[in-house]
C-alpha cells in the first residue's frame, strides 16, 4: 500500500517507520521544515529507543521518505493518515482540532481516486464527521472514506507497542475502508493482534475511555498510597496484592507523583468537556483530574517537610525530568510543577535527566543542569527521584553519602526499598510506605 502520514511527531514518525517496515511505501509529511530537513539528513528529532535504526533501514530500502510537500504523496496514496497534534485548547480544555482540520483541508486539495483518510490523532467523538464534511466542502468531487484508527502506543516502548499491539481499533462508516485497513494492518493481523472494527464514533470514544481509565487507575493507587502513609501500610505490597487479581491487573498500579505526559492530562480533560457538552458528565474523571492536579505540588511539599518545612536557600538535586523514562518528552511532566513549587519555596534546584534537559531548558527557568546524578548531588540537601530512568536504579549510595550535604533521599517512584537506602545512613522518604504505627481503633486502645 502507498501511505501518506501527515504529521511526523512521536506518533506519525513511529507509525510511518513501522508501516514501512511492514513493506508499505510511506511518505511522512510535516509542516515543520527543520524536522523534515533533520530527517532527510538521517537525524531523528525525538528520542525513542530503536527508532533511529528502524528509520535508517527503511529509508535505505526505499520504503520511507520525508517531505514538507502534500500534493504528490497525497495524490499517490491509497491511505492518508492524520497524526498531527491535538493539544488542549487554551482557555477551555477542549481538544484543539485546528491542526486536524487544517490537514483535512490540505489533503482534500490533493487526493486522487478513492482514498481512505484515517484519523490517528486522538480526537473527540464526532471529529470524523467534521473531517469528512470539511473535505467534501473543500472538494465536493473527492472520493474518500474517513476512518478513525486511534493509536495506543506508549512513548519509550513505541515500536514494540506498534508492532505488537494489544488490539487495533478501526472505526468505519464506509464498508470500502474495511478491506483497505485490513490490508494496512495485515502483518499484525496475521500475528494475531485483534483487529476490532467498530463505528467511527465508537472508535473515537474508545481511545478516550482507555486513557481516562488508565489515568483513573493511577490516581486510585496514588490515593491508596496516601492512606498507606497515614495508617502504616505499604502501597507496593497492596499493588501486588490487588494486581494479582485478574479482574484488576497489575499494570498502572505504581504509586508516584501523579500522571503527566502528552496524553493523559489533555485526553482526560477533553473527555470531561465532551461529556459535559453532552449532558452526561463523567464525575469519576473530573475527580481524577482534580486529584492529580493537586498531587504534583503536594510532592514538592513532601520534600519540603522532609527538610523540616523549609527549603529556602537549600540545594535540591532532582533526578529525572521527563514524564517517564526512555523519552525526551517533557509535556505536562510532573517535574515541572514539583520544581516550580520547590523554587517558590526558595530552593535552588539542580537537575539531571539522560534525555530531557534540552526540552526542560525551554520550559523551566533557574535550574542548574548537571552531567550525572553525582554531579548534581554534590553538597545537596536532598536527592529527589522524579523519573525512574534505569540508570537511577543502582545509585552508588556510599558515594552519594560522602558528597551530599545532607543524607536525604526522596524517592517519588519507589525505585528503592527503604532499608536499602537507610543502610547507607540516609533518611528515606518514598510514596505510600507508611512507617507510622497502625492506627489502633479507640475501643481496642482503651483495653
Ligand atoms: N505521543 C504519544 O505517546 C501518543 C500516543 C497515542 C496517541 N497520540 C496522539 O497522536 C497525536 C499526535 O501526537 P504526537 O505526540 O505525535 O504529537 P507531536 O506534537 O509530536 O507531532 C505532531 C506533528 O504534526 C505536525 N503538524 C501539525 N500540523 C500539521 C499539518 N497541518 N500538516 C503537517 N504536519 C503538521 C507538527 O509539526 C508535529 O511535528 C495526538 O493527537 C496525540 O494525542 C500520542
Amino acid at each position: 500500500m502507498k501511505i501518506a502520514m501527515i504529521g511526523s511527531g512521536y506518533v506519525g514518525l513511529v507509525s510511518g517507520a513501522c508501516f514501512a517496515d511492514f513493506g508499505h511505501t510511506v511518505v511522512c509529511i510535516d509542516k515543520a521544515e527543520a524536522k523534515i530537513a533533520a530527517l532527510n539528513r538521517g537525524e531523528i528529532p525525538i528520542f525513542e529507543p530503536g527508532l533511529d535504526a528502524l528509520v535508517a533501514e527503511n529509508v535505505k530500502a526505499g520504503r520511507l521518505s520525508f517531505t514538507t510537500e502534500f500534493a504528490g504523496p497525497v495524490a499517490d496514496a491509497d491511505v492518508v493518515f492524520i497524526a498531527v497534534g491535538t493539544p488542549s485548547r487554551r482557555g477551555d480544555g477542549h481538544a484543539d482540532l485546528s491542526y486536524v482540520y487544517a490537514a483535512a483541508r490540505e489533503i482534500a486539495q490533493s487526493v486522487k481516486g478513492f482514498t481512505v483518510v484515517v484519523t490517528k490523532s486522538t480526537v473527540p467523538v464526532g471529529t470524523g464527521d467534521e473531517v469528512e464534511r470539511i473535505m467534501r466542502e473543500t472538494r465536493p468531487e473527492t472520493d474518500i472514506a474517513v476512518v478513525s484508527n486511534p493509536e495506543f502506543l506508549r512513548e519509550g516502548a513505541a515500536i514494540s507497542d506498534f508492532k505488537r499491539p494489544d488490539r487495533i481499533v478501526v472505526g468505519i462508516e464506509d464498508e470500502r475502508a474495511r478491506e483497505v485497513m485490513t490490508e494496512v494492518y495485515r502483518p499484525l493481523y496475521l500475528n494475531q493482534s485483534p483487529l476490532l472494527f467498530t463505528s467511527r464514533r465508537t472508535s473515537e470514544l474508545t481511545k478516550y475511555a482507555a486513557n481516562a481509565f488508565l489515568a483513573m487507575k493511577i490516581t486510585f493507587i496514588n490515593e491508596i498510597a496516601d492512606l498507606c502513609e497515614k495508617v502504616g501500610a505499604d502501597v507496593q505490597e497492596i499493588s501486588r496484592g490487588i494486581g494479582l487479581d485478574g479482574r484488576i491487573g497489575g499494570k498502572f498500579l505504581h504509586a508516584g507523583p501523579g500522571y503527566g505526559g502528552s496524553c493523559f492530562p489533555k485526553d482526560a480533560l477533553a473527555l470531561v468537556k465532551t461529556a459535559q457538552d453532552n449532558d452526561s458528565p463523567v464525575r469519576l474523571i473530573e475527580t481524577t483530574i482534580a486529584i492529580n492536579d493537586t498531587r504534583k505540588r503536594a510532592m514538592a511539599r513532601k520534600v519540603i517537610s522532609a527538610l523540616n518545612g523549609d527549603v529556602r536557600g537549600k540545594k535540591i538535586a532532582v533526578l529525572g525530568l521527563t514524564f517517564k523514562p526512555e523519552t525526551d518528552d517533557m509535556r505536562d511532566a510532573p517535574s515541572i510543577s514539583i520544581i516550580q513549587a520547590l523554587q517558590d519555596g526558595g530552593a535552588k534546584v539542580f537537575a539531571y535527566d539522560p534525555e530531557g534537559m534540552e526540552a526542560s531548558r525551554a520550559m523551566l527557568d533557574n535550574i542548574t543542569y548537571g552531567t550525572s546524578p553525582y554531579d548534581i548531588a554534590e553538597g545537596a540537601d536532598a536527592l529527589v527521584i522524579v523519573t525512574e530512568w534505569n540508570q537511577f536504579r543502582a545509585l552508588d549510595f556510599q558515594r552519594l553519602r560522602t558528597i551530599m550535604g545532607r543524607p536525604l533521599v526522596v524517592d517519588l517512584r519507589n525505585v528503592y526499598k527503604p532499608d536499602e537506602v537507610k543502610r547507607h545512613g540516609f533518611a528515606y522518604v518514598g510514596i505510600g510506605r507508611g512507617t507510622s504505627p497502625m492506627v489502633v481503633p479507640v475501643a481496642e486502645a482503651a483495653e
Side-chain angles (χ1 to χ4, degrees), residues 8 40 51 57 64 71 81-82 86 101 112 119 121 132 149-150 155 219 235 247 284 298 349-350 365 438 447:
S8 306
N40 279 324
L51 188 57
E57 274 168 37
L64 181 63
F81 280 88
I82 301 176
T86 49
Y101 295 155
K112 259 202 200 131
T119 311
S121 300
E132 186 167 343
N149 170 222
E155 286 173 23
T219 306
V235 75
R247 293 167 302 178
L284 278 170
V349 174
F350 286 61
D365 295 324
M438 186 65 103
E447 279 173 18

Side-chain angles (χ1 to χ4, degrees), residues 52-328:
D52 44 1
L54 191 73
V55 167
E57 274 168 37
N58 285 283
V59 168
K60 196 168 163 214
R63 289 188 298 260
L64 181 63
S65 57
F66 308 100
T67 179
T68 54
E69 301 297 327
F70 273 67
V74 169
D76 277 352
D78 304 300
V79 188
V80 181
F81 280 88
I82 301 176
V84 300
T86 49
S88 281
R89 192 162 67 189
R90 260 170 206 270
D92 67 1
H94 273 281
D96 178 352
L97 295 172
S98 57
Y99 304 100
V100 172
Y101 295 155
R105 268 182 217 102
E106 297 216 43
I107 296 165
Q109 278 155 12
S110 304
V111 278
K112 259 202 200 131
F114 174 62
T115 309
V116 177
V117 177
V118 188
T119 311
K120 193 164 250 323
S121 300
T122 303
V123 293
V125 59
T127 303
D129 304 359
E130 184 61 11
V131 166
E132 186 167 343
R133 193 195 63 74
I134 288 172
M135 294 188 70
R136 295 203 190 286
E137 182 186 83
T138 311
R139 279 255 315 280
E141 72 279 17
T142 49
D143 186 13
I144 48 161
V146 176
V147 168
S148 158
N149 170 222
E151 183 49 59
F152 296 96
L153 64 75
R154 295 161 301 168
E155 286 173 23
I159 294 170
S160 57
D161 280 355
F162 195 92
K163 290 191 165 182
R164 280 177 290 281
D166 291 334
R167 79 310 204 181
I168 303 148
V169 177
V170 180
I172 57 171
E173 295 299 321
D174 180 332
E175 270 304 315
R176 293 178 296 170
R178 184 186 297 264
E179 198 185 323
V180 176
M181 293 305 286
T182 305
E183 190 56 37
V184 166
Y185 281 109
R186 182 172 301 282
L188 299 186
Y189 182 60
L190 294 176
N191 246 350
Q192 320 255 299
S193 296
L195 189 52
L196 247 71
F197 281 99
T198 68
S199 76
R200 198 161 61 197
R201 286 183 164 239
T202 301
S203 165
E204 289 168 337
L205 192 53
T206 302
K207 172 65 189 178
Y208 282 96
N211 273 3
F213 187 87
L214 294 173
M216 187 175 70
K217 198 171 175 189
I218 294 172
T219 306
F220 171 81
I221 202 66
N222 284 342
E223 285 212 304
I224 295 294
D226 290 349
L227 181 57
C228 283
E229 289 174 14
K230 294 280 163 58
V231 301
D234 187 318
V235 75
Q236 300 278 101
E237 289 170 18
I238 290 177
S239 290
R240 193 162 154 71
I242 63 173
L244 285 169
D245 184 330
R247 293 167 302 178
I248 297 173
K251 291 182 180 162
F252 281 77
L253 280 182
H254 301 290
Y259 64 78
S262 66
C263 292
F264 287 180
K266 78 168 175 70
D267 293 348
L269 191 57
L271 177 64
V272 161
K273 296 293 168 183
T274 300
Q276 284 170 354
D277 283 358
N278 285 279
D279 264 336
S280 182
V282 282
R283 300 255 187 260
L284 278 170
I285 308 308
E286 289 176 15
T287 306
T288 295
I289 294 170
I291 296 167
N292 195 65
D293 280 350
T294 52
R295 184 167 187 83
K296 298 172 192 178
R297 279 183 82 89
M299 293 300 109
R301 289 200 296 281
K302 216 177 193 2
V303 177
I304 295 168
S305 73
L307 284 165
N308 303 320
D310 184 16
V311 287
R312 185 154 304 280
K314 301 227 165 73
K315 174 175 176 178
I316 312 289
V318 171
L319 286 189
L321 294 163
T322 53
F323 81 96
K324 65 166 163 181
E326 302 299 330
T327 181
D328 57 354

